[in-house]
Amino acid sequence: MTDLLSGIRVLDLTNVLAGPYCAYQLALLGADVIKVEVPQGGDLARQLGASPELNKAGMGASFLAQNAGKRSVVLDLKMEADRERFLDLVASADALVENFRPGVMDRLGLGSARLKEVRPGLVYCAISGFGQTGPMRDNPAYDQIIQGLSGVMSITGTPETAPLRVGYPVADTLGGLVGAFAITAALVKQKTSGEGAFLDVSMLECTLSALGWPVSNYLTAGVEPQPMGNENMTAAPSGAFRTGDGLLNIAANKQEQFVTLCQLIGRQDLVSDPRFAERETRKHNRTALKVLIEEALHSAPAAIWEERLNRAGVPAGRVLTIPQVLEEQQVTERGMTTRFEGVPGMDQPLTVVRGGFTVDGAAPVPTRPPPALGEHMDEVFANLQPRAKTRARA
């Protein structure tokens, strides 16, 4: 774990994915993230994942994926006594993140205006499907709902198979990343001016924003994006190609890369072929070009072609499974995973994935495993001063 956010306390009131992933990024940066869970089962993700045994123990694989480095307390915010304890906790915090439907915290008497009275400089981040305003604000939202509404599914797959869902919760993940980015930016302002902020993060808007290229092609060029499978709309040959033993992604997006590719596969004649001589003609004739390239690639396995092409400056990479990529030397050497022994609720070691960056050469890994439900009640509240004794902090 890095110390970039050392001394920052974040209250994590979130469930399932977008919110917990947001708070996980802050924990990796060194923030003291306190997960505030309901006594009856806690975060729903504790019951989600591929292992029924872990789900039953309240340590589902989905929960384990993004809650390491956090501490857990349990509070029933519908109860007056627990609301008071929660407000004491808010007084000690720098930021709070929640992903309830809009209005839930207000109905509990714990909306941003109330919390600002307790902690004027609080950075309050609300992550929801559609944001705090608009005609869809009250609609329930899961990742696939957002994928469909955002247009992501319409351009995923081939013309024959689309629309398709992206194979992981991309909309939830984008919402979490944007939330973490917005919180850290607001914390900078808090530390320089003492002012807090209310951050309204919409998963739909986060996903639409990430669709910058296809959206721009429509808004600027008037071209409606279409599903193209594994092909790259901006260039050819650029996509997934069959080799002697599997798929290989090749991105010969520049003219010099195309020329080099043709030389390496023994098809220099393609460079002068009128169908493929220029970037635009290659795009129009990408299907015919792909057939010819795959005929040449069939002579060797994907790993061999990957090495040859990259060495010559043509971007290429095998299409791997998740088990395969986790065993890749590139991933293992950079310490992408962290292993914990003796995790509560588990009878085996736990391995979790860190964030996708390093800080001054050090990997930001969590220093503690995902918490058992309410594991840190005594630890958190033992040193917590009541609000009457707590001075407002900048």
Side-chain angles (χ1 to χ4, degrees):
M1 186 179 289
T2 72
D3 61 356
L4 295 181
L5 291 181
S6 177
I8 298 295
R9 173 169 286 183
V10 178
L11 304 185
D12 174 9
L13 278 69
T14 66
N15 280 271
V16 186
L17 208 166
Y21 187 73
C22 167
Y24 183 47
Q25 307 311 302
L26 304 177
L28 289 171
L29 290 169
D32 174 22
V33 177
I34 300 175
K35 192 169 182 67
V36 181
E37 303 184 72
V38 295
Q40 302 80 21
D43 186 341
L44 176 61
R46 289 183 178 275
Q47 305 166 43
L48 304 177
S51 168
E53 293 77 15
L54 289 176
N55 295 344
K56 187 175 180 180
M59 296 295 276
S62 298
F63 175 81
L64 298 174
Q66 54 205 13
N67 286 286
K70 304 178 185 180
R71 298 191 287 172
S72 171
V73 300
V74 291
L75 293 173
D76 185 348
L77 298 182
K78 296 179 180 179
M79 305 294 293
E80 179 64 27
D82 278 5
R83 283 198 297 271
E84 288 300 314
R85 298 190 80 186
F86 174 70
L87 290 174
D88 286 342
L89 197 55
V90 169
S92 75
D94 299 283
L96 176 148
V97 56
E98 51 98 341
N99 62 347
F100 301 117
R101 288 196 211 176
V104 168
M105 289 291 281
D106 284 320
R107 289 194 291 274
L108 290 170
L110 299 172
S112 60
R114 173 67 179 108
L115 299 189
K116 190 174 182 179
E117 296 174 0
V118 174
R119 172 68 170 99
L122 184 70
V123 173
Y124 186 114
C125 179
I127 302 175
S128 63
F130 306 101
Q132 303 296 303
T133 60
M136 300 177 75
R137 69 185 289 270
D138 294 322
N139 288 8
Y142 288 95
D143 177 85
Q144 186 156 343
I145 304 300
I146 302 300
Q147 284 199 36
L149 288 168
S150 67
V152 165
M153 290 176 63
S154 75
I155 58 172
T156 302
T158 65
E160 296 74 29
T161 63
L164 280 179
R165 171 187 175 274
V166 175
Y168 80 104
V170 61
D172 267 319
T173 303
L174 284 169
L177 282 174
V178 171
F181 166 73
I183 289 170
T184 52
L187 285 170
V188 173
K189 180 181 179 182
Q190 181 196 78
K191 295 309 171 187
T192 56
S193 70
E195 297 179 29
F198 179 81
L199 307 173
D200 177 5
V201 177
S202 157
M203 287 168 52
L204 176 62
E205 291 165 16
C206 293
T207 308
L208 196 57
S209 174
L211 286 165
W213 280 19
V215 168
S216 182
N217 278 324
Y218 174 68
L219 292 177
T220 305
V223 176
E224 182 176 349
Q226 301 295 325
M228 296 184 64
N230 292 325
E231 294 296 309
N232 178 357
M233 65 175 292
T234 67
S238 187
F241 297 80
R242 290 190 296 269
T243 70
D245 75 343
L247 285 178
L248 180 72
N249 281 320
I250 300 175
N253 296 348
K254 299 179 181 179
Q255 181 68 21
E256 60 267 29
Q257 292 169 340
F258 173 61
V259 172
T260 301
L261 170 64
C262 293
Q263 292 172 343
L264 289 174
I265 66 175
R267 291 301 306 266
Q268 293 91 329
D269 59 300
L270 298 179
V271 176
S272 56
D273 188 314
R275 296 174 297 170
F276 315 130
E278 298 178 355
R279 183 185 189 91
E280 291 303 317
T281 60
R282 287 197 296 276
K283 287 166 60 177
H284 287 300
N285 296 287
R286 65 170 67 242
T287 301
L289 178 58
K290 184 172 186 176
V291 169
L292 296 172
I293 291 174
E294 288 186 334
E295 288 176 354
L297 293 175
H298 187 70
S299 64
I304 297 298
W305 286 118
E306 179 185 73
E307 194 277 331
R308 290 176 184 173
L309 291 170
N310 282 311
R311 186 173 58 199
V314 179
R318 290 157 292 150
V319 177
L320 303 178
T321 65
I322 289 175
Q324 287 172 332
V325 70
L326 290 174
E327 294 176 357
E328 278 291 300
Q329 185 177 359
Q330 177 67 29
V331 172
T332 58
E333 277 195 11
R334 285 177 61 86
M336 191 63 198
T337 60
T338 301
R339 181 183 173 99
F340 292 103
E341 305 280 352
V343 179
M346 298 189 64
D347 57 4
Q348 61 187 17
L350 169 68
T351 301
V352 298
V353 177
R354 65 167 173 84
F357 58 93
T358 66
V359 179
D360 296 328
V365 297
T367 57
R368 67 174 84 220
L373 181 61
E375 179 180 346
H376 301 98
M377 283 291 289
D378 292 341
E379 180 179 305
V380 168
F381 285 101
N383 299 316
L384 192 65
Q385 294 180 329
R387 293 193 306 286
K389 299 179 181 179
T390 303
R391 295 182 296 175
R393 302 189 307 166

